[in-house]
Amino acid sequence: MRPFEGIRIIDITHVLAGPFAAYQLALLGADVIKVEPPGDPDQSRDSGPDPALNRANMGSYFLTQGSNKRAITLDLKRQAGQDVLKKLVAGADVLVENFRPGAFEALGLGWEALSAINPRLIYCSMSAFGQKGPRGVQTAYDHVIQATSGIMAATGTPEVNPIKFGAPAIDYATGTMGAFALSAALFQRERTGRGQRIDLAMLDVALMMQASHVTAFLASGKAAKPSGNKHPQATNSAYKTKDGMVMLGASNLRQQKRLWAALGRPEMAKATNEQRLAARDAEESLLDEIMLNRTADEWEEYLQSKHVPAARVRRMEEALADPHLASRGVVHRFEGGAPGVPQSFGVPVAAFTLAHGGPQVDSPPPMVGQHTDAVLSGLGYSADEIAALRAGKVV
């Protein structure tokens, strides 16, 4: 049995962060019902590098976090659509939404209104800046939050900055934090019997991603500065090799001692981190010279054998080809494709395993409104009533 079997989640989110939060719980057994407006599906459905998939509303950005979900269409701006949602809420455990703060309250679908229908409901609102505060009404995406939070200013080199991340890391960190918050609220409900309101902000998550930098600044007044591939310690930085780059991770004193011994220069090991900082330039100059003697793969293999963290700098396609990932089950592959997706593809699953009842993919990402009739029938709507809702463009 998986942790969230028997839990029903209404997923009224779009793009990446919100859908990823619901996806993580779906992998762990939750029954997730994705709600999209008819004629205006989640914008991630037409996002990705494959135009054909985008046109089919099965873009790769959607595929990433669409598995294990059922999909319905529902116009929440119409009273009939709101009535359907309220019926869903009556039997649900969680509702997740990531629209502009105040939008659901304006529709009469806010926390107070829906918790009156179901006092055990966990209502999660995910937004750029939170539901209140001076910026509460503002909107943003991952890259805008990177700009706002200081992450871009600390990324890049001293000469070239600010630079945004190459991946939408804040979106996925927000989704992961959302899954954590939902899990905490569900566990709390087991003890209290009460529902919960979760207010999750992308900006707050971005600050959590810089937690050590935040604390360092508040304690010393020194802000993080862009340093490229260099670290305060020379033994903890990237270097050119015969054929590429290798990232050294000799971070602590024991590791730097092992590194210098492995390189045949044990006299370079330092007794304190202050000594390492003082000798950084000299150490970097020596490592620049030594690292050119082997290929990046050779250095990785050799240094790892000496218990020194080190890795060749890889492209993503190389990382995905690593047999180690297959042993971890990090990616689920849909061989032969899925409805709406003619080609084979794979999606990330979860970043952990459990001894039993762990995360797994059971069903492919759904097409727009694929399960509308089945879900409405489960709520007690007759075939004629469903046909009338469809004729009225409510679904």
Side-chain angles (χ1 to χ4, degrees):
M1 181 176 182
R2 283 179 283 177
F4 298 114
E5 288 184 17
I7 296 296
R8 173 169 286 184
I9 298 173
I10 305 172
D11 175 10
I12 321 179
T13 65
H14 54 288
V15 197
L16 301 182
F20 190 74
Y23 171 58
Q24 290 296 292
L25 272 64
L27 293 169
L28 292 166
D31 173 21
V32 177
I33 300 174
K34 181 175 180 63
V35 179
E36 301 169 86
D40 185 22
D42 182 343
Q43 75 178 70
S44 70
R45 284 186 177 274
D46 69 353
S47 300
D50 188 326
L53 289 179
N54 296 343
R55 288 192 292 269
N57 282 321
M58 296 297 280
S60 58
Y61 282 26
F62 168 73
L63 298 180
T64 304
Q65 55 263 323
S67 300
N68 287 17
K69 297 183 182 182
R70 296 190 287 166
I72 70 171
T73 53
L74 192 61
D75 187 348
L76 297 179
K77 294 181 180 179
R78 295 171 181 254
Q79 184 61 51
Q82 295 172 13
D83 292 342
V84 173
L85 180 66
K86 289 175 181 178
K87 286 190 176 183
L88 270 174
V89 164
D93 298 280
V94 173
L95 182 144
V96 190
E97 60 90 11
N98 66 346
F99 287 79
R100 177 180 51 79
F104 270 45
E105 283 77 7
L107 294 172
L109 300 173
W111 154 245
E112 292 185 1
L114 297 187
S115 62
I117 296 171
N118 181 354
R120 288 173 55 83
L121 180 70
I122 294 165
Y123 190 112
C124 178
S125 294
M126 303 173 71
S127 62
F129 299 100
Q131 299 299 300
K132 297 180 180 179
R135 286 185 177 267
V137 297
Q138 296 180 5
T139 57
Y141 287 95
D142 177 291
H143 51 292
V144 177
I145 294 297
Q146 287 191 42
T148 307
S149 65
I151 284 182
M152 282 182 63
T155 305
T157 68
E159 298 78 22
V160 182
N161 69 86
I163 294 177
K164 75 175 184 67
F165 290 165
I170 292 176
D171 270 332
Y172 286 115
T174 301
T176 302
M177 189 70 77
F180 171 49
L182 290 169
S183 300
L186 285 165
F187 185 74
Q188 182 186 51
R189 192 183 69 175
E190 290 299 303
R191 296 184 168 189
T192 66
R194 298 173 58 193
Q196 185 61 274
R197 174 71 190 277
I198 299 170
D199 176 2
L200 177 60
M202 294 173 69
L203 178 61
D204 298 356
V205 173
L207 292 175
M208 295 303 106
M209 293 174 68
Q210 304 173 87
S212 59
H213 290 339
V214 169
T215 303
F217 173 73
L218 294 176
S220 69
K222 296 180 180 179
K225 296 181 180 180
S227 57
N229 296 321
K230 296 183 179 182
H231 192 271
Q233 288 94 24
T235 61
N236 211 22
S237 301
Y239 293 90
K240 292 180 180 179
T241 69
K242 276 187 175 181
D243 66 347
M245 294 191 73
V246 64
M247 178 65 78
L248 303 183
S251 180
N252 61 45
L253 290 169
R254 296 184 306 277
Q255 291 165 341
Q256 63 94 32
K257 184 177 181 180
R258 289 198 292 268
L259 172 66
W260 289 120
L263 298 179
R265 298 298 300 268
E267 76 281 3
M268 293 295 295
K270 307 300 187 294
T272 70
N273 282 323
E274 287 188 5
Q275 291 175 350
R276 296 171 72 191
L277 293 176
R280 192 199 188 287
D281 290 346
E283 290 187 3
E284 181 182 63
S285 179
L286 181 56
L287 288 168
D288 276 335
E289 180 182 339
I290 293 174
M291 290 296 113
L292 290 172
N293 292 325
R294 302 190 188 197
T295 67
D297 278 323
E298 288 170 344
W299 279 123
E300 177 179 319
E301 182 178 359
Y302 173 67
L303 292 175
Q304 287 286 354
S305 75
K306 302 297 183 181
H307 305 291
V308 176
R312 175 170 64 85
V313 177
R314 290 166 167 80
R315 300 184 303 276
M316 186 183 68
E317 55 267 34
E318 295 176 288
L320 289 173
D322 190 330
H324 178 74
L325 282 183
S327 74
R328 295 289 302 163
V330 177
V331 173
H332 177 89
R333 299 191 181 279
F334 291 93
E335 302 297 345
V341 185
Q343 68 265 45
S344 297
F345 67 100
V347 297
V349 184
F352 62 91
T353 65
L354 298 177
H356 56 86
Q360 68 181 47
V361 171
D362 304 305
S363 59
M367 300 177 71
V368 177
Q370 181 177 335
H371 303 97
T372 300
D373 287 16
V375 170
L376 292 183
S377 294
L379 293 175
Y381 286 89
S382 68
D384 287 344
E385 289 172 325
I386 296 172
L389 289 171
R390 183 164 284 112
K393 298 184 179 180
V394 176
V395 300

